[in-house]
């Protein structure tokens, strides 16, 4: 089969989309990394007031890559109420139920602690960060934020009571259930929140570039499949032609054998005529025409 040629334009589009996707993803991961104190100090600090709008208007793309703002959290609509303390309100709520158990390690001959999440519920309502003069900044995708910004509002450990039969079963199975830990974390209304650069732009560009690269790969795959179909059709025709050529000598063999029998009969008749006397030959020639050898 001939080599499959890739056009220069297709190779350029594929390489550019993959490279752009990788670069955008690296920038997205970098922007998602929690900034340490030194980076927070080096980043420009802005006060949430009317001047912030003027700064964004003169900034290319109306976007600041890295900036630090601080303000009080306020819900856009109704806030969330704590499931365990009705006097606590917030804009983010995370309820987690974890199971703790001891598992016997046969190598170290000790019991090791193990835990797994049984239930997790995360709830959020739209909220803003408000400055000193009531200027507000809308927070987008708060669940993707990094760093510690939620406060534990409830924590309770539910210990399991065992009977004698339960203890025997635990030693036989090699697992001891300690209990379940129930926690609730909330971002409270009025809490001070520090915001910095948004990573959503890089994530969106990375996804768009990956989709474009997948489209180019799909186009190349379709072209390659069509070329394979043409190759398979030619191979099929060639095999059919070889089969017909192989069958042709067998088809002519019976005809050749019939002609050989007729020639043999003619030669035998001529030989018999040659053995007859001259007078008999003359009389027969009047009735039966002679064959020329």
């Amino acid at each position: 089969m001939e080599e499959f040629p890739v056009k220069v334009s297709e190779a350029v589009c594929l390489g550019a989309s993959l490279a752009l996707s990788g670069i955008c993803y690296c920038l997205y991961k970098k922007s998602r990394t929690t900034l340490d104190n030194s980076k927070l100090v080096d980043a420009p600090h802005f006060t949430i007031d009317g001047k912030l709008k003027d700064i964004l208007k003169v900034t290319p793309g109306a976007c600041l890559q890295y900036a630090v703002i601080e303000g009080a959290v306020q819900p856009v609509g109704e806030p969330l109420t704590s499931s365990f303390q009705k006097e606590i309100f917030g804009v983010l709520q995370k309820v987690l139920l974890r199971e703790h158990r001891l598992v016997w390690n046969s190598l170290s001959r000790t019991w090791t602690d193990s835990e797994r999440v049984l239930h997790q519920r995360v709830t959020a309502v739209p909220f803003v960060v408000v400055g000193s003069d009531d200027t507000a900044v809308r927070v987008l995708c708060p669940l993707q934020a990094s760093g510690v910004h939620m406060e534990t509002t409830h924590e309770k450990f539910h210990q399991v009571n065992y009977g004698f039969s339960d203890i025997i079963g635990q030693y036989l199975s090699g697992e001891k259930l300690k209990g379940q830990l129930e926690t609730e974390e909330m971002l409270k209304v009025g809490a001070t929140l520090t915001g910095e650069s948004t990573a959503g732009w890089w994530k969106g560009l990375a996804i768009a570039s990956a989709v474009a690269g997948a489209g180019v790969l799909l186009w190349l795959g379709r072209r390659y499949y069509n070329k394979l179909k043409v190759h398979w059709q030619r191979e099929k025709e060639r095999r059919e032609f070889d089969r017909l050529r192989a069958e042709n000598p067998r088809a002519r063999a019976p005809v050749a054998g019939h002609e050989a029998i007729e020639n043999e009969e003619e030669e035998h008749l001529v030989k018999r005529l040659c053995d007859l006397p001259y007078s008999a030959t003359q009389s027969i020639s009047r009735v039966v025409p002679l064959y020329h050898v």
Side-chain angles (χ1 to χ4, degrees):
M1 181 179 175
E2 300 178 358
E3 294 183 358
F4 179 70
V6 178
K7 298 179 181 178
V8 177
S9 58
E10 295 172 343
V12 171
C13 290
L14 179 61
S17 61
L18 293 179
L20 185 60
S21 177
I23 293 173
C24 292
Y25 181 76
C26 291
L27 292 175
Y28 165 70
K29 294 295 290 184
K30 183 179 179 180
S31 63
R32 284 292 309 276
T33 304
T34 304
L35 297 178
D36 55 20
N37 293 331
S38 61
K39 291 185 178 179
L40 285 174
V41 171
D42 295 337
H45 289 64
F46 296 98
T47 304
I48 301 177
D49 52 19
K51 296 181 180 179
L52 183 59
K53 295 181 181 179
D54 299 332
I55 295 174
L56 289 175
K57 287 179 181 178
V58 298
T59 304
C63 179
L64 297 172
Q65 183 179 5
Y66 282 103
V68 177
I69 57 174
E70 288 186 358
V73 173
Q74 294 295 331
V76 175
E78 291 293 328
L80 299 172
T81 304
S82 172
S83 301
F84 305 94
Q85 301 184 44
K86 301 303 180 183
E87 69 277 6
I88 297 179
F89 301 96
V91 294
L92 287 177
Q93 182 188 43
K94 181 180 179 181
V95 178
L96 192 63
L97 182 63
R98 290 189 290 256
E99 180 187 72
H100 290 260
R101 61 176 61 226
L102 294 174
V103 179
W104 176 253
N105 191 330
S106 58
L107 296 178
S108 61
R109 310 293 295 177
T110 57
W111 293 92
T112 57
D113 193 12
S114 175
E115 69 174 44
R116 65 187 182 99
V117 177
L118 298 179
H119 174 72
Q120 180 177 345
R121 185 181 78 250
V122 180
T123 310
V125 295
F127 68 96
V128 294
V129 179
V130 182
S132 57
D133 61 350
D134 293 336
T135 301
V137 175
R138 183 71 175 265
V139 179
L140 302 177
C141 305
L143 298 179
Q144 297 181 2
S146 58
V148 180
H149 56 275
M150 300 180 71
E151 181 181 343
T152 301
T153 56
H154 173 76
E155 185 174 17
K156 185 177 181 180
F157 187 78
H158 302 274
Q159 191 171 1
V160 179
N161 296 321
Y162 304 111
F164 180 75
S165 59
D166 297 328
I167 296 175
I168 297 299
Q170 291 172 0
Y171 278 97
L172 293 177
S173 62
E175 291 186 359
K176 291 182 180 181
L177 181 60
K178 295 173 59 178
Q180 297 174 351
L181 179 63
E182 183 180 45
T183 59
E184 180 191 57
E185 296 178 349
M186 294 191 70
L187 177 58
K188 294 181 180 180
V189 173
T192 301
L193 186 67
T194 301
E196 39 100 5
S197 64
T198 58
W201 292 102
W202 298 122
K203 182 179 180 181
L205 287 175
I207 294 176
S209 303
V211 170
V216 176
L217 285 176
L218 184 63
W219 169 258
L220 289 175
R222 183 178 179 182
R223 277 211 310 122
Y224 184 70
Y225 176 71
N226 292 334
K227 189 175 182 66
L228 278 180
K229 284 180 64 177
V230 174
H231 176 72
W232 292 337
Q233 183 65 26
R234 290 177 179 175
E235 285 292 322
K236 182 179 179 182
E237 293 175 354
R238 185 184 62 79
R239 288 194 297 267
E240 183 67 16
F241 179 73
D242 292 342
R243 185 182 65 81
L244 294 176
R245 285 183 56 188
E247 291 179 353
N248 248 354
R250 293 196 296 269
R252 292 196 300 267
V255 178
H258 181 68
E259 293 178 354
I261 293 174
E262 289 183 351
N263 293 337
E264 185 178 352
E265 291 179 351
E266 290 180 359
E267 291 177 359
H268 181 67
L269 180 59
V270 170
K271 183 178 179 181
R272 289 184 60 192
L273 290 175
C274 292
D275 292 340
L276 292 176
Y278 174 73
S279 57
T281 304
Q282 287 182 339
S283 60
I284 292 175
S285 62
R286 297 188 185 96
V287 182
V288 181
L290 293 176
Y291 293 91
H292 298 282
V293 180

